[in-house]
Amino acid sequence: IVEGEPVRVDTLRIEGLDAVPERSAIIAGLPTRVGGWFDRYANAEARDSLTRRLRDNGYPDAETFLGYDLRAADKRATVVFTVSTGARRRIGEVRITQEGRDGRAPEVRQRAVRRLAGLDVGDLYRESALELAKRRLYQSEAFAQVVVEPAETVNDSLITVDVNVREGYLRAARLGGGWGTLDCFR
């Protein structure tokens, strides 16, 4: 196998981020860079990173599109990321829906669910905050099922977040035992 010279990225453009306040933080540290190798996997990773960073900075409808011009004879490539941010949104309402275990009425108060979720009206929409809310609710071990997701858009600047929980067993006991010998008793 003779690998030959690698194709290098000679031009990198990221279009559509002019109105984004955190532009420099969003494009920092991308795996695709000028002078680097042209790598389709790195380009896909950069596209996904841009989308994820935007969705974590108030743009729940953000999408990133990848285009490139590969000039194999010159061993050069142009990579273009075109971003559609959509409107920047804040949390307008947090709707909580509870279901008790086995069809019973919920035992956990809605105020406790809201506090555990940690999502407040007026906060900038962040996908990581929704994931953290889900993790906190599961880690409480009070819920067997948790869904935290954006719902409808209230207006151009607000989005509703739905928190749906189904309670699990609120009391549990664990008993363990064992026997082992390896030159001593346990």
Side-chain angles (χ1 to χ4, degrees):
I1 296 174
V2 178
E3 188 173 305
E5 289 294 314
V7 175
R8 299 271 181 189
V9 176
D10 65 352
T11 306
L12 174 63
R13 290 195 320 263
I14 301 173
E15 301 170 348
L17 292 179
D18 297 335
V20 176
E22 298 87 2
R23 183 184 194 284
S24 59
I26 287 173
I27 64 173
L30 293 175
T32 302
R33 64 183 189 286
V34 174
W37 293 355
F38 177 78
D39 182 349
R40 290 188 172 125
Y41 295 111
N43 293 342
E45 182 183 343
R47 179 197 61 217
D48 294 344
S49 292
L50 285 168
T51 301
R52 179 68 184 208
R53 291 173 187 179
L54 284 164
R55 289 182 182 173
D56 208 36
N57 280 285
Y59 299 95
D61 302 321
E63 289 293 332
T64 305
F65 304 96
L66 169 63
Y68 56 86
D69 178 23
L70 184 62
R71 301 177 304 280
D74 297 336
K75 303 291 185 197
R76 298 281 177 240
T78 298
V79 179
V80 180
F81 295 102
T82 305
V83 178
S84 172
T85 61
R88 190 165 196 182
R89 296 203 168 92
R90 295 189 173 278
I91 297 175
E93 179 186 1
V94 179
R95 289 189 302 210
I96 297 174
T97 306
Q98 291 178 262
E99 183 181 329
R101 186 177 54 82
D102 299 329
R104 298 180 191 158
E107 294 182 48
V108 178
R109 292 190 175 135
Q110 194 173 75
R111 188 175 65 218
V113 174
R114 187 174 302 278
R115 188 180 60 240
L116 274 171
L119 299 170
D120 295 320
V121 172
D123 284 352
L124 192 62
Y125 174 88
R126 296 186 187 280
E127 219 169 56
S128 63
L130 271 60
E131 292 168 4
L132 181 60
K134 187 175 183 176
R135 189 176 316 122
R136 283 179 184 155
L137 288 163
Y138 268 126
Q139 286 176 340
S140 72
E141 296 186 7
F143 305 103
Q145 182 179 357
V146 177
V147 177
V148 180
E149 61 189 1
E152 77 271 359
T153 302
V154 177
N155 60 36
D156 284 348
S157 62
L158 298 177
I159 190 167
T160 299
V161 175
D162 284 336
V163 176
N164 301 311
V165 294
R166 186 170 46 97
E167 291 179 2
Y169 292 98
L170 297 180
R171 292 166 194 81
R174 293 184 184 146
L175 177 64
W179 174 264
T181 58
L182 188 61
D183 295 328
C184 65
F185 291 98
R186 284 187 261 163

